[in-house]
Amino acid sequence: MCSQAYIIGVSNGSVEVSIVIPCLNESETVGACVAKACAALAAHDVAGEVIVADNGSTDGSREIAAAEGARVVPVAERGYGNALMGGIAAARGRFVLMGDADDSYDFGELPRFLAPLRAGAELVQGCRLAAGGGTVLPGAMPALHRWWGNPMFSWMARTWFRAPIHDVHCGLRAFTTDLYRRLELRCTGMEFASEMVIKASLARARITEVPITLSPDGRRSRRRHLRTFRDGWRHLSFYLIYSPRWLFLAPGVALVLVGVLGYAIAMPGLRIGGVQFDVSTLLFASLGFICGYQSIVFAVLTKVFAIVEGLLPPDPRIDLLARVVVLERGLALGAVLGLAGAVFLGVAIEQWRAQHFGALDYEVTLRWVIPGVTLTVLGLQTVLASFYLRILQLARR
């Protein structure tokens, strides 16, 4: 049980580390977790406290945690992220170590996390996977999570956000309260852990990783809170939303390139390998152009919106874009595209008039109609996007 000395600090009353444990009906294991956390503070003479952020337990978890010496903080709003945010808000320590209440993490590993923080690290991420030197004991992690889910999401975090970690979902991690306040985390569910790593990486925080051991959780009468496919999809969609480059920009550029290739082949009506490319190919190419262009526009608008709302840090490239792509230039480009489209459509109408508004040779006419419609649509999209970008730029000021 935690003595009062380790709750208020050993020497001068200051708390160095707050150990925050989210809890929802963990009566089988929360007591052991609190006891281990208190023992770690005492064994290493660390001024600290143990906080159990209770998310509405009805099985006596609160009473058990309090009896072991934890300060219990009730959090009414349900969700893993909500519980942690409530617990961290009540923390008095300069550093926070967070870990689950299922007894799968060893709070005795506190010194591994505390040493890098004292040396200047802002986020110390635990790693359970072998890629980062960690250990997963038999039965501690489902095979799908161990060999596919966690490695895949960790690879995405390293590749998309340059996060220097190998286990993005590890729930045992420590960070400075200053960093936590700067990140302004918002996710209320399981994505909270990913949001912390991603936003810390984007903010160029000092991040390090320490290997840990994951043990089978101590619960026997109830199942895990984590739902593989539901939470997996929520994490994937979160990654995509936080990376407009991969959600909108990369697919958009690919579609535009497909459109360029299609036009290069179909406009002259080339025949390649016995395959004739004609107006139908031109129509498909236009579809690629329009969808790709729209996707690229969405990438820019999403990035600006995310920066305005504080979801992403400022980006010098967006500042440059704001100086280059002003409303008037966007309107001028939209007008040029629209005018070019009108010229193509005008030629098609003239061909129809020359036939006394009768039947047309569509292989000829559609080579004017399809580009004309495409350019007109692109012009309208440019005008609308320019106005909306201007609205977002006003919000930034």
Side-chain angles (χ1 to χ4, degrees), residues 312-324:
L312 294 175
D315 190 329
R317 293 169 297 183
I318 295 299
D319 294 333
L320 176 62
L321 180 70
R323 294 193 297 269
V324 174

PDB file of all heavy atoms in Angstrom, residues 312-324:
ATOM      1  N   LEU A 312      -3.195  19.596 -36.550  1.00  0.00           N
ATOM      2  CA  LEU A 312      -1.852  19.407 -37.080  1.00  0.00           C
ATOM      3  C   LEU A 312      -1.031  20.669 -36.825  1.00  0.00           C
ATOM      4  O   LEU A 312      -1.592  21.767 -36.773  1.00  0.00           O
ATOM      5  CB  LEU A 312      -1.894  19.108 -38.583  1.00  0.00           C
ATOM      6  CG  LEU A 312      -2.530  17.788 -39.019  1.00  0.00           C
ATOM      7  CD1 LEU A 312      -2.595  17.712 -40.537  1.00  0.00           C
ATOM      8  CD2 LEU A 312      -1.765  16.596 -38.465  1.00  0.00           C
ATOM      9  N   PRO A 313       0.276  20.536 -36.685  1.00  0.00           N
ATOM     10  CA  PRO A 313       1.112  21.715 -36.454  1.00  0.00           C
ATOM     11  C   PRO A 313       1.248  22.538 -37.728  1.00  0.00           C
ATOM     12  O   PRO A 313       0.980  22.053 -38.836  1.00  0.00           O
ATOM     13  CB  PRO A 313       2.460  21.110 -36.040  1.00  0.00           C
ATOM     14  CG  PRO A 313       2.484  19.774 -36.699  1.00  0.00           C
ATOM     15  CD  PRO A 313       1.060  19.280 -36.679  1.00  0.00           C
ATOM     16  N   PRO A 314       1.653  23.807 -37.617  1.00  0.00           N
ATOM     17  CA  PRO A 314       1.857  24.644 -38.806  1.00  0.00           C
ATOM     18  C   PRO A 314       2.839  24.002 -39.782  1.00  0.00           C
ATOM     19  O   PRO A 314       3.780  23.311 -39.380  1.00  0.00           O
ATOM     20  CB  PRO A 314       2.407  25.947 -38.225  1.00  0.00           C
ATOM     21  CG  PRO A 314       1.906  25.979 -36.823  1.00  0.00           C
ATOM     22  CD  PRO A 314       1.891  24.548 -36.366  1.00  0.00           C
ATOM     23  N   ASP A 315       2.618  24.257 -41.076  1.00  0.00           N
ATOM     24  CA  ASP A 315       3.441  23.675 -42.130  1.00  0.00           C
ATOM     25  C   ASP A 315       3.930  24.801 -43.038  1.00  0.00           C
ATOM     26  O   ASP A 315       3.109  25.537 -43.608  1.00  0.00           O
ATOM     27  CB  ASP A 315       2.615  22.664 -42.941  1.00  0.00           C
ATOM     28  CG  ASP A 315       3.464  21.847 -43.896  1.00  0.00           C
ATOM     29  OD1 ASP A 315       4.484  22.371 -44.376  1.00  0.00           O
ATOM     30  OD2 ASP A 315       3.091  20.699 -44.185  1.00  0.00           O
ATOM     31  N   PRO A 316       5.250  24.979 -43.194  1.00  0.00           N
ATOM     32  CA  PRO A 316       5.770  26.056 -44.058  1.00  0.00           C
ATOM     33  C   PRO A 316       5.243  25.961 -45.490  1.00  0.00           C
ATOM     34  O   PRO A 316       5.086  26.980 -46.162  1.00  0.00           O
ATOM     35  CB  PRO A 316       7.286  25.853 -44.003  1.00  0.00           C
ATOM     36  CG  PRO A 316       7.539  25.074 -42.759  1.00  0.00           C
ATOM     37  CD  PRO A 316       6.336  24.208 -42.551  1.00  0.00           C
ATOM     38  N   ARG A 317       4.986  24.744 -45.962  1.00  0.00           N
ATOM     39  CA  ARG A 317       4.481  24.578 -47.330  1.00  0.00           C
ATOM     40  C   ARG A 317       3.091  25.180 -47.478  1.00  0.00           C
ATOM     41  O   ARG A 317       2.759  25.740 -48.526  1.00  0.00           O
ATOM     42  CB  ARG A 317       4.467  23.098 -47.700  1.00  0.00           C
ATOM     43  CG  ARG A 317       5.859  22.470 -47.802  1.00  0.00           C
ATOM     44  CD  ARG A 317       5.794  20.973 -47.897  1.00  0.00           C
ATOM     45  NE  ARG A 317       5.217  20.378 -46.693  1.00  0.00           N
ATOM     46  CZ  ARG A 317       5.091  19.085 -46.494  1.00  0.00           C
ATOM     47  NH1 ARG A 317       5.495  18.228 -47.425  1.00  0.00           N
ATOM     48  NH2 ARG A 317       4.555  18.611 -45.386  1.00  0.00           N
ATOM     49  N   ILE A 318       2.288  25.074 -46.433  1.00  0.00           N
ATOM     50  CA  ILE A 318       0.956  25.670 -46.475  1.00  0.00           C
ATOM     51  C   ILE A 318       1.060  27.195 -46.427  1.00  0.00           C
ATOM     52  O   ILE A 318       0.300  27.905 -47.095  1.00  0.00           O
ATOM     53  CB  ILE A 318       0.098  25.140 -45.311  1.00  0.00           C
ATOM     54  CG1 ILE A 318      -0.152  23.634 -45.485  1.00  0.00           C
ATOM     55  CG2 ILE A 318      -1.228  25.879 -45.231  1.00  0.00           C
ATOM     56  CD1 ILE A 318      -0.903  23.267 -46.756  1.00  0.00           C
ATOM     57  N   ASP A 319       2.020  27.711 -45.650  1.00  0.00           N
ATOM     58  CA  ASP A 319       2.230  29.158 -45.626  1.00  0.00           C
ATOM     59  C   ASP A 319       2.641  29.667 -47.008  1.00  0.00           C
ATOM     60  O   ASP A 319       2.181  30.725 -47.459  1.00  0.00           O
ATOM     61  CB  ASP A 319       3.303  29.511 -44.595  1.00  0.00           C
ATOM     62  CG  ASP A 319       2.849  29.212 -43.167  1.00  0.00           C
ATOM     63  OD1 ASP A 319       1.629  29.242 -42.926  1.00  0.00           O
ATOM     64  OD2 ASP A 319       3.712  28.950 -42.313  1.00  0.00           O
ATOM     65  N   LEU A 320       3.501  28.905 -47.695  1.00  0.00           N
ATOM     66  CA  LEU A 320       3.901  29.286 -49.045  1.00  0.00           C
ATOM     67  C   LEU A 320       2.701  29.241 -49.988  1.00  0.00           C
ATOM     68  O   LEU A 320       2.515  30.148 -50.816  1.00  0.00           O
ATOM     69  CB  LEU A 320       4.995  28.341 -49.544  1.00  0.00           C
ATOM     70  CG  LEU A 320       5.461  28.537 -50.984  1.00  0.00           C
ATOM     71  CD1 LEU A 320       6.066  29.931 -51.172  1.00  0.00           C
ATOM     72  CD2 LEU A 320       6.475  27.463 -51.380  1.00  0.00           C
ATOM     73  N   LEU A 321       1.902  28.184 -49.853  1.00  0.00           N
ATOM     74  CA  LEU A 321       0.706  28.063 -50.689  1.00  0.00           C
ATOM     75  C   LEU A 321      -0.230  29.246 -50.475  1.00  0.00           C
ATOM     76  O   LEU A 321      -0.809  29.780 -51.428  1.00  0.00           O
ATOM     77  CB  LEU A 321      -0.020  26.756 -50.364  1.00  0.00           C
ATOM     78  CG  LEU A 321      -1.302  26.481 -51.152  1.00  0.00           C
ATOM     79  CD1 LEU A 321      -0.963  26.185 -52.610  1.00  0.00           C
ATOM     80  CD2 LEU A 321      -2.070  25.315 -50.546  1.00  0.00           C
ATOM     81  N   ALA A 322      -0.378  29.676 -49.221  1.00  0.00           N
ATOM     82  CA  ALA A 322      -1.263  30.798 -48.915  1.00  0.00           C
ATOM     83  C   ALA A 322      -0.794  32.081 -49.587  1.00  0.00           C
ATOM     84  O   ALA A 322      -1.606  32.932 -49.962  1.00  0.00           O
ATOM     85  CB  ALA A 322      -1.346  30.990 -47.397  1.00  0.00           C
ATOM     86  N   ARG A 323       0.546  32.208 -49.750  1.00  0.00           N
ATOM     87  CA  ARG A 323       1.069  33.407 -50.405  1.00  0.00           C
ATOM     88  C   ARG A 323       0.940  33.335 -51.923  1.00  0.00           C
ATOM     89  O   ARG A 323       0.786  34.359 -52.593  1.00  0.00           O
ATOM     90  CB  ARG A 323       2.536  33.613 -50.019  1.00  0.00           C
ATOM     91  CG  ARG A 323       2.754  33.941 -48.547  1.00  0.00           C
ATOM     92  CD  ARG A 323       4.165  34.441 -48.293  1.00  0.00           C
ATOM     93  NE  ARG A 323       5.162  33.423 -48.600  1.00  0.00           N
ATOM     94  CZ  ARG A 323       5.627  32.545 -47.716  1.00  0.00           C
ATOM     95  NH1 ARG A 323       5.158  32.559 -46.470  1.00  0.00           N
ATOM     96  NH2 ARG A 323       6.538  31.655 -48.052  1.00  0.00           N
ATOM     97  N   VAL A 324       0.993  32.122 -52.455  1.00  0.00           N
ATOM     98  CA  VAL A 324       0.964  31.952 -53.909  1.00  0.00           C
ATOM     99  C   VAL A 324      -0.463  31.855 -54.443  1.00  0.00           C
ATOM    100  O   VAL A 324      -0.840  32.512 -55.412  1.00  0.00           O
ATOM    101  CB  VAL A 324       1.793  30.710 -54.314  1.00  0.00           C
ATOM    102  CG1 VAL A 324       1.639  30.446 -55.808  1.00  0.00           C
ATOM    103  CG2 VAL A 324       3.254  30.900 -53.949  1.00  0.00           C
TER     104      VAL A 324
END
